[in-house]
Amino acid sequence: MPFLTNVSLSSDAPEESDEYPLGIPAIRDLRESMLRFHPKCTFLVGENGSGKSTLLEGIADRWGYSREGGSRTRNLYAQELWSDLGPMLYLNRKPGCNPMDGFFLRAESFFNFATMLDEFEEDAYTADGYFSYGGKSLHAQSHGESFLTLFKMRFHGDGVYILDEPEAALSPQRQLAFLVRMNDLIKDNSQFIIATHSPILLGYPEATIYELDEFGIKEIGYEESQPYQITSRFLKDRERMLDYLLNDDDEEDL
Ligand SMILES: Nc1ncnc2c1ncn2[C@@H]1O[C@H](COP(=O)(O)OP(=O)(O)O)[C@@H](O)[C@H]1O
Ligand SMILES: [Mg+2]
């Protein structure tokens, strides 16, 4: 069941702006056409700098504002770092649907796990039992392990989860484990919005993929996505690709 149905740019947003964040083509595009969320999982793909994090943060920000106070909103942290996009977005949700759980994880958080753990320690909701999970302190677990633990223990279902490049901490095998857990949470009435470069995560079957680029934002198929295309070309013909990359002066049109 979807909680969030679509997002678009408010007509109040300044028309002509070359400045961040309205200067980003994908963000500007939301004025023309709304982005419809898949009820289960929506992926954002695109080159570095195409606006994925900006859009995710705007959505999380807007969604946070529209929620009543309480411990859950505290997870939408680091708001002081955010752009002013959030208030310029229309974020529509399905009437009468109120998620019980929610989380927004910035890409940086996956690299800065200690800070995140400190925040959870202060969160009464996660403090109990969380740190002794598996008989092993999270501090003693590897980056990827602790992220998966978080994902298993802190995400309860019936929620909206907004994740920026969650694959950063995960081995390919753990990305598969992530998909399994994500699927369980989705069966448990959750909705995901994920920015990713991972051809594994993008493979989740019940999802919509949006690509952000210099022209704007559009829906694409899995096989059209760059993470899929480049990985698949590399795996199918590694030698030729490497030869081209490493021995050819012109690598512009890879
Ligand atoms: N706080 C900011 N102020 C000005 N420009 C920013 C800021 N954050 C990001 N940008 C710029 O906005 C563009 C989109 O960034 P970002 O949303 O982080 O892209 P992505 O997540 O797709 O890599 C980039 O050109 C980036 O340099
Ligand atoms: Mg980003």
Side-chain angles (χ1 to χ4, degrees):
M1 179 191 300
F3 294 108
L4 303 179
T5 50
N6 59 67
V7 66
S8 59
L9 200 56
S10 151
S11 49
D12 297 340
E15 284 273 342
E16 297 293 326
S17 175
D18 291 334
E19 296 197 351
Y20 180 79
L22 291 178
I24 300 172
I27 304 293
R28 266 204 311 262
D29 217 12
L30 294 176
R31 193 192 300 277
E32 305 298 323
S33 56
M34 64 173 63
L35 183 150
R36 288 177 204 281
F37 296 113
H38 190 284
K40 295 179 176 175
C41 184
T42 303
F43 289 114
L44 304 181
V45 298
E47 258 323 306
N48 295 323
S50 59
K52 302 180 298 299
S53 298
T54 302
L55 180 53
L56 277 192
E57 288 179 5
I59 293 167
D61 186 8
R62 191 69 180 133
W63 173 60
Y65 278 132
S66 65
R67 296 160 68 85
E68 70 282 6
S71 71
R72 283 191 297 270
T73 47
R74 264 200 285 145
N75 292 320
L76 301 167
Y77 59 93
Q79 290 189 344
E80 69 278 8
L81 298 175
W82 294 6
S83 75
D84 51 4
L85 178 63
M88 292 192 267
L89 294 176
Y90 280 135
L91 186 62
N92 289 315
R93 25 176 176 167
K94 200 167 173 161
C97 283
N98 290 306
M100 298 299 291
D101 192 22
F103 221 94
F104 170 54
L105 284 184
R106 297 164 63 90
E108 296 74 21
S109 308
F110 294 99
F111 292 105
N112 196 3
F113 217 79
T115 313
M116 215 161 83
L117 291 179
D118 289 345
E119 291 203 5
F120 296 142
E121 225 154 11
E122 289 162 17
D123 185 343
Y125 197 50
T126 52
D128 283 350
Y130 181 63
F131 286 89
S132 58
Y133 173 68
K136 192 175 169 191
S137 158
L138 267 188
H139 291 282
Q141 298 183 22
S142 80
H143 205 90
E145 277 176 324
S146 48
F147 169 59
L148 267 191
T149 302
L150 164 85
F151 199 48
K152 286 180 181 147
M153 300 300 287
R154 171 57 186 82
F155 292 18
H156 299 285
D158 205 5
V160 173
Y161 303 106
I162 302 176
L163 309 176
D164 198 353
E165 298 185 27
E167 71 272 17
L170 300 174
S171 70
Q173 192 167 345
R174 290 222 163 85
Q175 291 183 40
L176 296 174
F178 175 96
L179 280 185
V180 172
R181 177 66 182 143
M182 183 170 101
N183 190 50
D184 287 345
L185 288 164
I186 285 172
K187 279 195 212 148
D188 225 353
N189 201 30
S190 296
Q191 185 178 24
F192 283 78
I193 304 171
I194 302 177
T196 184
H197 296 293
S198 163
I200 295 179
L201 298 194
L202 280 175
Y204 188 76
E206 295 183 276
T208 301
I209 303 175
Y210 290 101
E211 184 179 63
L212 288 72
D213 63 16
E214 66 270 36
F215 303 110
I217 185 164
K218 66 173 188 298
E219 185 178 340
I220 58 167
Y222 175 60
E223 284 86 359
E224 289 175 86
S225 72
Q226 282 236 336
Y228 171 85
Q229 290 209 350
I230 291 177
T231 310
S232 117
R233 273 167 61 196
F234 187 82
L235 294 177
K236 273 185 201 142
D237 203 355
R238 176 166 51 99
E239 284 176 9
R240 203 165 69 105
M241 199 168 181
L242 285 176
D243 186 50
Y244 178 75
L245 279 175
L246 307 181
N247 300 322
D248 198 312
D249 288 341
D250 177 21
E251 59 186 64
E252 283 298 305
D253 48 22
L254 175 67

